[in-house]
Amino acid sequence: MRGLAALFVFFCHYYYSAFKISEGWGHDNVNYEIWRLPFIRLLYSGPSMVCIFFVISGYALSLKPLKQARSRSFDGFSKTMTSFVFRRFFRLYLPPLISTFGVLILLRFGVYEMTRNFANDRKYMHNIIEHHPVLEETLRKQLRHWMKEMYEFVHIWGWEKFGGATGYDVHLWTIPVEFRCSMMLFLVMFGTARLRTSARFLCLAVVMWFVLRSDKWEMFLFLWGMTLAELDLIRGAHEPNAPPPSSTPATLLPLEKTPENPPEKRSPCSLLWTALSIPALYLMSEPDAGTVGNPGWEYLGTYIPEWFSDKYRYYQMIGSIIFVFCTARSTSWQRFFNSAVVQYFGRISYALYLMHGPVMHTLGYMVEKRAWDFSGTDGSQYNWGMALASVINIPLVIWAADIFWRAVDAPTVRFTKWLESKLSVED
């Protein structure tokens, strides 16, 4: 699920420079293209996928500690949590430190200058013009600028929108959010570990209400991920030796090894959860430009609280929670997410997130310019040029992500575990 979310975020950032993808189907009685319809628009709905990111992160970070807390293995819980807290910074920040330093190197070699004019040319960029990394006058100034950007990138002291975003890759604003919400989630788990299950759910409900009322939608999604993880533990979804109940499949998300014999029979309950996931996907399809002027959505928009600032995220947020909850109980969705291709994208998801920006702004823009120079930029020629460029650029980004995953992402995970083992006190 995380892998496809990362892929669709890439599609969002790739196509929003050329097309106005934020407006929904029928917006202001125009925009009736089929790709704007609910469900279809999820293929490029970046904000909806960010909501999925945060629910899954809360789930993945909570599953093992909650399992230990529920079994009263508090020594194991303590070791797990101290390990999570120590490793979280390195896991989140080491790969982007390396990727943005790579951007710095490409800047100094003039690669970004080869596409700078194109990146700001309205002949080609019909919608959003993304920030192109800045070339400083000298290498020393560039290094100082990069270090300053990375210092601000570790942005844990403020909750302002897009806080900590770096000019070396503007897409990475979610990483400081992930780190900040992870630390808050760990604090909640520490504080509720010894509580009875009912008391923990009550505390979570109060905290989630406070968080949502404080307009912190990202933290709300993390806490819901924790809630869904405990609900799965209660129903035994992650018990390796016990067969699951007939109405529920064995696993929720591809966090563990794919079962050798995935469930074949679709029970009536599983079909029900699959059906209930459809309205969840509809809610996730809320247009990024907001609900006003969109058929169907304008009515739903009247129920969004006034105090909720990012109104376009409101139903995306709710839909992502319901979708993950339904996927927990749907054999069909689990079979899909456990397929080999989807699992592969799950493995390279972080690398895909980090690589799509630099590749797009360098080789990607070069390919796009050649494609549009070949096809033309008038009317439908513009669309055909973008389609031609996509045939090359999408595999190119996936290939770069695969290399970065093998060369950087996976080794940093091993390095962090090694570092922890060397610095930790033995029992």
Side-chain angles (χ1 to χ4, degrees):
M1 193 181 295
R2 197 200 312 258
L4 290 185
L7 181 66
F8 298 160
V9 166
F10 158 46
F11 289 165
C12 172
H13 294 153
Y14 182 63
Y15 290 111
Y16 74 176
S17 62
F19 308 108
K20 294 181 179 180
I21 65 174
S22 63
E23 298 170 347
W25 184 86
H27 181 261
D28 289 341
N29 295 317
V30 291
N31 300 316
Y32 288 107
E33 297 90 346
I34 190 173
W35 50 269
R36 296 185 186 276
L37 286 168
F39 307 109
I40 297 176
R41 67 174 296 108
L42 288 174
L43 296 174
Y44 58 84
S45 180
S48 298
M49 298 304 111
V50 169
C51 291
I52 288 288
F53 281 153
F54 291 164
V55 177
I56 295 175
S57 291
Y59 186 101
L61 293 172
S62 304
L63 186 62
K64 183 177 180 180
L66 284 174
K67 187 174 184 178
Q68 293 169 325
R70 290 181 58 80
S71 65
R72 298 297 182 263
S73 177
F74 293 115
D75 286 343
F77 174 84
S78 176
K79 291 179 181 178
T80 297
M81 291 303 298
T82 54
S83 176
F84 279 10
V85 171
F86 176 81
R87 288 191 287 136
R88 192 60 176 163
F89 175 88
F90 297 99
R91 176 68 189 106
L92 287 176
Y93 281 108
L94 269 184
L97 285 173
I98 295 171
S99 69
T100 54
F101 191 77
V103 172
L104 181 150
I105 294 173
L106 293 176
L107 274 168
R108 298 314 303 174
F109 277 100
V111 178
Y112 276 84
E113 297 309 298
M114 297 168 65
T115 58
R116 189 169 301 280
N117 291 335
F118 173 85
N120 295 281
D121 193 337
R122 278 298 180 189
K123 176 184 176 183
Y124 303 106
M125 302 297 174
H126 286 189
N127 190 32
I128 291 176
I129 294 181
E130 274 196 348
H131 172 79
H132 208 59
V134 176
L135 177 66
E136 298 292 338
E137 296 174 358
T138 65
L139 176 59
R140 174 174 291 186
K141 285 185 177 181
Q142 194 80 61
L143 287 169
R144 292 185 65 178
H145 181 259
W146 176 79
M147 288 187 287
K148 181 177 180 294
E149 289 271 308
M150 292 302 100
Y151 176 80
E152 295 175 353
F153 184 49
V154 186
H155 186 79
I156 61 173
W157 306 119
W159 290 80
E160 62 268 21
K161 188 181 298 186
F162 305 121
T166 170
Y168 286 86
D169 189 348
V170 294
H171 308 138
L172 304 187
W173 66 271
T174 60
I175 294 174
V177 176
E178 282 265 358
F179 183 71
R180 186 165 56 242
C181 289
S182 299
M183 295 301 110
M184 291 295 295
L185 180 72
F186 294 155
L187 182 62
V188 171
M189 282 195 288
F190 269 121
T192 60
R194 291 183 175 270
L195 298 181
R196 295 189 299 272
T197 301
S198 58
R200 180 160 49 247
F201 277 130
L202 177 61
C203 289
L204 268 177
V206 173
V207 172
M208 283 194 290
W209 174 85
F210 176 76
V211 164
L212 182 61
R213 189 61 182 82
S214 301
D215 203 15
K216 299 297 181 288
W217 59 273
E218 58 271 71
M219 191 68 236
F220 183 73
L221 291 172
F222 265 76
L223 292 172
W224 259 109
M226 175 183 172
T227 303
L228 297 179
E230 182 143 21
L231 289 174
D232 276 349
L233 289 172
I234 290 172
R235 68 188 182 88
H238 290 280
E239 292 298 328
N241 298 320
S246 59
S247 62
T248 55
T251 58
L252 169 59
L253 300 172
L255 302 173
E256 302 173 351
K257 184 179 178 181
T258 304
E260 294 182 2
N261 298 307
E264 294 294 333
K265 294 180 64 177
R266 295 180 175 89
S267 68
C269 286
S270 176
L271 292 174
L272 174 63
W273 291 117
T274 303
L276 289 176
S277 70
I278 295 175
L281 291 172
Y282 179 82
L283 293 177
M284 288 172 60
S285 303
E286 179 183 7
D288 303 334
T291 58
V292 177
N294 292 283
W297 286 108
E298 191 154 20
Y299 172 75
L300 290 174
T302 61
Y303 291 95
I304 300 176
E306 287 296 327
W307 46 262
F308 195 84
S309 60
D310 288 346
K311 298 192 185 305
Y312 69 98
R313 295 190 191 273
Y314 187 75
Y315 288 110
Q316 295 177 355
M317 175 185 70
I318 295 173
S320 65
I321 296 168
I322 299 174
F323 181 70
V324 175
F325 180 84
C326 291
T327 304
R329 293 151 177 82
S330 168
T331 304
S332 299
W333 277 119
Q334 289 184 26
R335 184 175 289 107
F336 172 73
F337 285 118
N338 280 322
S339 63
V341 173
V342 177
Q343 289 279 303
Y344 169 74
F345 279 109
R347 287 191 292 273
I348 69 167
S349 59
Y350 198 29
L352 184 60
Y353 190 69
L354 296 176
M355 282 292 99
H356 75 270
V359 174
M360 282 165 47
H361 278 256
T362 52
L363 293 176
Y365 282 177
M366 295 178 193
V367 171
E368 286 180 24
K369 187 177 187 307
R370 287 183 178 272
W372 274 317
D373 287 345
F374 173 76
S375 69
T377 57
D378 296 327
S380 62
Q381 294 176 341
Y382 185 81
N383 299 341
W384 283 112
M386 190 61 172
L388 177 60
S390 300
V391 172
I392 300 174
N393 281 339
I394 291 174
L396 184 64
V397 169
I398 295 172
W399 174 70
D402 185 273
I403 293 176
F404 190 85
W405 167 57
R406 297 174 190 276
V408 177
D409 192 30
T412 57
V413 173
R414 295 192 294 269
F415 167 77
T416 302
K417 291 181 178 179
W418 172 84
L419 181 66
E420 182 189 22
S421 68
K422 292 299 181 182
L423 298 180
S424 299
V425 177
E426 297 182 1
D427 292 335

